[in-house]
Amino acid sequence: MIEEIQRRVNADQALQHRGRWVNLTFVFGIGDDDYLITISAGKITDVRQRHLPTDTGSFSIRASKDSWDKHWQLSPPRDYHDIFAMLPKQIARIDGELLPLMQNLQYFKDIIAKLRDGKGDENGC
Amino acid sequence: MAVEFEPMIGRYFMLEVGGKSYRIYMEEAGRGIPLLCLHTAGSDARQFRHILADADITSRFRVMAFDLPWHGKSNPPKDFRNEDYKLTVHGYKAIINAVCSALELKSPVVMGCSMGGRIVCHLALENPAYFRAMIALEGADKLEPYYNLDWLYRPDVHGGDVQAAFVSSQVAPTSPDEYRWETLWHYMQGGPGIFKGDLHFYWLDGDFDDRSPQIDTAACPIYLMSGEYDCSCTPEHTLATAQRVKGAKTTIMDGMGHFPMSENPALFKTYLMPVLDEIATIT
């Protein structure tokens, strides 16, 4: 399912525009699986599973599969409805160099929420 | 076609407090029981525009909402460039008491949200006989920080953008998009370092769980109202506060976040009206 994020984000021109200063790779963790998501000028250019210990990114955002499934519900339950609601409850964890995350916080929250049920059909997707 | 003005009137007045002079902006509408509204950290009194425009409320209440110094259209002190803004319990109480005194309010109800919801309990503790009742929206007597405040005020992160992105987590996902983004727009417009300075009170200087059992709710009724989706002042924080403030009346608002009056005004009205009806009967 995570690969779907690329199609949905890249079909949303306004979201790409909001992320136009973002050029990096970050680690997105679903349970024990890490994925490297590479972004160029707000467009996702690559999504791949992490295989080597040296494969890494600027920062990481991780939660269990069950937690992401709740986050991606169309009407997510409280504590799961936003990454910054998940953090204080220790449902999600962030690590690494947080500066690019904080500089573009709403963009990163929005691209992850793109996998929410029913999202991704805007802008001709 | 003639323009249709909204019913609230906006005006400025000078306020002397703590040895400094501030030009304060306030809006008001209605007649009757004074209802003073206190905005959240890092925002301003525009959050209360729906309350100010609601004839069901203004027919019985004189609704007033002012921008704190440094916020909205209120000025900072003239020498603001020489200090870092930092709100404290003492300073916040002094401002509200000075406003009540300047406006010559008699037995006002104070309704504050977030940091405003915290300070009303401090005021009730200090001077319960003066206030008719307190409505603490998203207010608790003990809270824990969950991010480093330095992210809010540094040259390599846009303060307005990051503030809005932080607090967007506190809006219920079911709140109308129009009002979600209007609420966040207020955060995008805050002055540099102001949200951070407010959170000094909200997170670091405002705890009073050791004194909240002393609040006399017989003299000053307290209504605690918190949103289901509030991840800052959570329902658990509010319920724990209610256990300590003997006699407090508590409502957990389903489908609501941290900004009830601005993120979902129609839903908030269904929770607020019974409280205002009850307050109107207090003699």
Side-chain angles (χ1 to χ4, degrees):
Chain A
M1 181 186 183
I2 185 67
E3 292 77 10
E4 175 70 2
I5 195 173
Q6 183 170 7
R7 187 182 71 83
R8 292 192 180 192
V9 168
N10 292 351
D12 187 337
Q13 295 298 319
L15 178 56
Q16 278 184 62
H17 180 71
R18 292 199 295 276
R20 62 195 177 279
W21 303 105
V22 180
N23 295 284
L24 53 72
T25 297
F26 76 102
V27 178
F28 187 72
I30 304 175
D32 293 333
D33 295 325
D34 278 351
Y35 297 88
L36 304 179
I37 298 179
T38 299
I39 297 167
S40 176
K43 185 174 183 176
I44 295 181
T45 56
D46 192 33
V47 178
R48 63 191 186 282
Q49 190 159 9
R50 182 182 193 175
H51 292 299
L52 300 172
T54 49
D55 287 343
T56 188
S58 301
F59 59 85
S60 63
I61 304 174
R62 290 188 173 92
S64 69
K65 181 177 185 308
D66 179 61
S67 297
W68 287 126
D69 285 344
K70 288 178 177 164
H71 179 74
W72 289 325
Q73 288 177 18
L74 191 55
S75 292
R78 64 178 284 243
D79 300 336
Y80 294 87
H81 62 283
D82 187 284
I83 291 167
F84 269 75
M86 296 164 75
L87 289 175
K89 290 292 178 79
Q90 300 181 336
I91 294 166
R93 209 178 73 213
I94 55 176
D95 290 294
E97 172 52 56
L98 299 186
L99 181 59
L101 173 66
M102 295 303 183
Q103 287 173 323
N104 302 277
L105 184 56
Q106 191 64 52
Y107 167 79
F108 282 107
K109 294 205 299 187
D110 287 348
I111 66 168
I112 291 167
K114 266 291 178 187
L115 291 177
R116 191 157 284 164
D117 291 345
K119 285 265 185 184
D121 293 330
E122 305 104 87
N123 302 303
C125 176
Chain B
M1 194 172 75
V3 67
E4 188 174 334
F5 284 107
E6 295 183 24
M8 70 287 280
I9 299 291
R11 287 185 290 183
Y12 294 89
F13 65 98
M14 295 305 297
L15 185 73
E16 306 292 327
V17 59
K20 296 200 174 189
S21 181
Y22 301 95
R23 183 171 186 252
I24 298 294
Y25 178 71
M26 70 170 277
E27 294 182 353
E28 73 168 290
R31 299 178 68 177
I33 300 165
L35 174 59
L36 186 66
C37 301
L38 308 176
H39 60 76
T40 64
S43 188
D44 60 62
R46 284 177 293 177
Q47 292 179 319
F48 290 96
R49 74 176 178 93
H50 301 280
I51 305 284
L52 285 155
D54 192 324
D56 291 337
I57 297 172
T58 56
S59 60
R60 288 179 296 162
F61 290 85
R62 178 190 175 195
V63 182
M64 294 156 281
F66 69 98
D67 295 340
L68 277 172
W70 302 80
H71 298 69
K73 294 204 282 188
S74 291
N75 276 355
K78 62 184 178 185
D79 57 348
F80 76 92
R81 292 182 69 233
N82 299 322
E83 64 174 294
D84 265 354
Y85 170 74
K86 187 179 280 189
L87 189 67
T88 63
V89 172
H90 176 76
Y92 197 6
K93 282 195 299 188
I95 291 165
I96 298 163
N97 285 328
V99 167
C100 289
S101 176
L103 298 176
E104 300 180 326
L105 302 183
K106 292 183 171 58
S107 298
V109 181
V110 184
M111 176 167 70
C113 188
S114 184
M115 69 172 190
R118 300 197 84 185
I119 202 65
V120 297
C121 296
H122 283 275
L123 292 167
L125 177 66
E126 184 177 83
N127 193 6
Y130 173 64
F131 297 100
R132 185 184 185 101
M134 296 296 194
I135 303 173
L137 307 173
E138 322 301 329
D141 61 6
K142 185 171 176 57
L143 294 169
E144 303 88 32
Y146 61 92
Y147 57 80
N148 188 327
L149 296 183
D150 286 339
W151 286 114
L152 299 172
Y153 189 29
R154 48 188 284 168
D156 51 0
V157 177
H158 188 286
D161 274 346
V162 79
Q163 287 166 188
F166 273 132
V167 303
S168 69
S169 64
Q170 299 166 22
V171 180
T174 45
S175 287
D177 241 25
E178 174 187 358
Y179 295 133
R180 159 189 291 269
W181 286 101
E182 182 177 320
T183 299
L184 298 180
W185 178 249
H186 303 156
Y187 276 86
M188 293 174 184
Q189 292 188 305
I194 302 308
F195 186 38
K196 178 184 177 184
D198 282 342
L199 290 184
H200 174 79
F201 161 74
Y202 182 68
W203 269 344
L204 307 177
D205 193 44
D207 279 356
F208 62 106
D209 50 308
D210 55 334
R211 286 159 288 152
S212 54
Q214 300 167 24
I215 295 175
D216 182 357
T217 57
C220 180
I222 306 265
Y223 297 85
L224 301 171
M225 305 174 71
S226 284
E228 171 192 7
Y229 280 93
D230 189 345
C231 59
S232 174
C233 177
T234 64
E236 290 80 7
H237 286 123
T238 299
L239 292 170
T241 303
Q243 287 207 327
R244 288 184 282 269
V245 182
K246 304 299 180 210
K249 297 185 177 180
T250 308
T251 305
I252 303 301
M253 297 179 281
D254 290 340
M256 190 67 82
H258 188 75
F259 309 95
M261 61 284 172
S262 64
E263 70 171 72
N264 198 338
L267 179 61
F268 179 49
K269 185 176 180 181
T270 67
Y271 290 108
L272 180 63
M273 291 309 288
V275 170
L276 293 180
D277 288 345
E278 191 169 298
I279 288 173
T281 66
I282 297 172
T283 53

